[in-house]
Amino acid sequence: MIFDPDALRRIRRAKGLSQSALGERVGRSVAAVSRWESQVNAPDLSVIDSLATALGVDFMELTTRSSRQAVAA
């Protein structure tokens, strides 16, 4: 799986959540969320699962398009 920071940012904003609010929902700091969205580093798979749950989306929504296409093939 390849984490998609742009998807995280887009979905978080669409849900009306701040980085701080999302971080609280998954037990991480606002700095961690900022680093994920800025592509400084990527969350572990278990955290991606927590992010998807907190955002009310499927895990695959937080992966890159090329990764989703490879899984579908």
Side-chain angles (χ1 to χ4, degrees):
M1 294 291 148
I2 302 171
F3 174 69
D4 185 350
D6 295 325
L8 176 61
R9 181 182 305 110
R10 179 179 40 78
I11 295 167
R12 176 185 60 78
R13 288 178 176 170
K15 300 285 183 174
L17 293 171
S18 65
Q19 289 179 337
S20 178
L22 179 57
E24 287 178 17
R25 287 186 180 195
V26 297
R28 305 295 173 151
S29 68
V30 64
V33 176
S34 176
R35 287 191 303 266
W36 300 331
E37 290 186 357
S38 301
Q39 301 180 11
V40 172
N41 59 24
D44 294 331
L45 291 177
S46 64
V47 177
I48 296 173
D49 189 49
S50 296
L51 288 166
T53 299
L55 293 168
V57 299
D58 186 86
F59 179 91
M60 296 301 286
E61 292 292 320
L62 297 177
T63 63
T64 62
R65 177 171 286 131
S66 60
S67 176
R68 287 194 300 267
Q69 289 172 344
V71 169

